[in-house]
Amino acid sequence: MSNGILVFAEHRDGSLNKTSFEAIAAAQSLGAELGQEVSAVLLGSGASGLAEEIAAYALSKVIYAENEKLKEYTPDGYTDAMERVIRAADPQYVIMPHTYLVRDYAPKLAARFGKGLISDCIRAKISDGVVTFTRRIFLGKMDADVVSDGEPPVFATFQSGAYRGDQAQKGSSAAQVETMPVEVGEVRMKPEAPFQEVKQAVDLSKADVIVAIGRGIKSKENIELAEKLAAALGGDIAASRPICDAEWLPIDRQIGSSGQTVAPKLYIALGISGAIQHLVGMKNSGTIVAINKDPEAPIFDIADYGIVGDLFDAVPVLTEEIKKIKEQ
Amino acid sequence: MKIIVLMKQVANKDAILRINKEGTWIEEGDLSFEVNESDGYALEESLRLKEKHGGEVIVCSMGPQRVKTVIKDALARGADRAIHVSGDDLQHLSPYAAANILADAVRDEQPDLIMTGLQSDDYGYAQTGVIMAELLGMPHATIVIEVDASGEQLRVKRELESGWYQWYEMPKPALLTIQSGISQIRYATLKGIMAAKKKEIKEVSPAIDARPSHQRIEKIYLPEKTKQTQFLGNGDAKAGAVALAEKLRNEARVI
């Protein structure tokens, strides 16, 4: 009979990914409400030190699945190893962080159990022993409450920031680390070493004021409007992904999961709808302003001040008003 | 090289979404649709690979008759032929069920490469491609931003988090999920649109598996706000801008 919660811990370059602690916090929260034990799993080769590190948390045990082929991440290797761990541990829930690595292999893993993942959840609520997961859909415009209606295990991934890593509870004594030599079949993909493209020329993480533009800016020529506002504020210009994809601004100006993460005192979003991938890169900003013609744009969910309307009307006026204030 | 591109039709990005009476999905009756953004890039990449290495591009889309718009557009841009997996409720399948049906629809084609976008802009599961690869016994790579198919092995560049990248090598056939922005998407030419009219669209109607989906949407709703937003200007953007400058100065004290 399936029981317990198994949480997947991710690591790279000899350290645990911070989203792993968020996943532990998520699993502990579910475990406490469901009255189920939480154990963690770490895959690797020569990574027992990291397993010991996780064992400091309040977990029933840490499974360290070891194989030479797990030294580097590959979807084939991780799927084989996780499948064996899950079949042995027989958990009711498998909880993972919604990282690029998990996105890469976890659907393949779930498919081995004849199902998909309840992916990219932002919260989970429990009532009468039933877990209702909430996912963002339509690029953040709507939320969906989702329940699992099949056999365990239920695979769920949580979005970065859904739980706080510093709320993962430490145990009163170290959890037992169970080293499990695990079989891994043929690994078809050969990874090369990860690299950074070019050293980022612009470090937006230090900026006090950021004026960011999205699709609503409509053309490259219109960017000047936002640049004037940024200049009046003494701030930097940035953008959401579509703007950098169109090469209207260089990629080192991109904010979001595939770009930079920023937290300026003032963040002004012009014509940005606020897809999750953008929000994760800026939601910790001090004061957030959104100007967008769509009143339902998700960016307004996290904005302190909002103007529903045409940015081409609002921005020139705002720039002039700010200049006046600065001259006072 | 035979390439299959999976393309999904989703609600237009600018569409105002209204929740249906049951509260389980959006009202689709009067909605405008478009091709899922990253799937458009998957098509572009497949056309470029065909231009470089020869072969054939087959577009495959699943859903009701309206998805023919996506198919015809892809044919006009240069895809050679199409498979329409036709049915009225197919767009609401779980990623596992969808992957099963799509795998069945393309298996006999024995493609060298299957490409699709990294996730859909409606459900956003980001799983269908990867599950398909598993069902078809192919290796896969996700969030791909460059493809080198010139050698015996396929080399792909994957995007990792925070500005990191990684090259992977794998044998063909393989399945790749493509990140938006991999290249500039071409427009359909008039010649392309004319040529598309003669291209084959094979229609298949799959039997739907009645087993549990393992995820059932109970309800959808507008996200709960985490912040109380002060809306300024009351619809007048210029008045809003004046009010905003004052608020930033005297209330938020950030300028």
Side-chain angles (χ1 to χ4, degrees), chain B residues 90-110:
Chain B
L90 298 173
Q91 69 272 35
H92 299 303
L93 293 175
S94 72
Y96 185 76
N100 254 297
I101 288 178
L102 287 166
D104 287 346
V106 305
R107 187 176 281 113
D108 291 345
E109 293 284 353
Q110 298 191 303

Side-chain angles (χ1 to χ4, degrees), chain A residues 120-125 131-136 143-145 158-159 162-163, chain B residues 221-224 226:
Chain A
D120 209 7
C121 300
I122 54 166
R123 61 177 171 266
K125 279 187 186 144
V131 184
T132 302
F133 297 94
T134 303
R135 314 177 56 239
R136 286 268 140 97
D143 280 355
D145 281 354
F158 282 94
Q159 189 178 108
Y163 286 81
Chain B
Y221 46 93
L222 289 171
E224 292 157 18
T226 52

Side-chain angles (χ1 to χ4, degrees), chain B residues 187-206:
Chain B
Y187 289 101
T189 59
L190 187 59
K191 200 175 148 211
I193 294 166
M194 296 310 288
K197 292 183 175 156
K198 295 194 194 75
K199 291 176 179 172
E200 178 203 356
I201 303 175
K202 182 174 125 186
E203 196 162 312
V204 293
S205 304

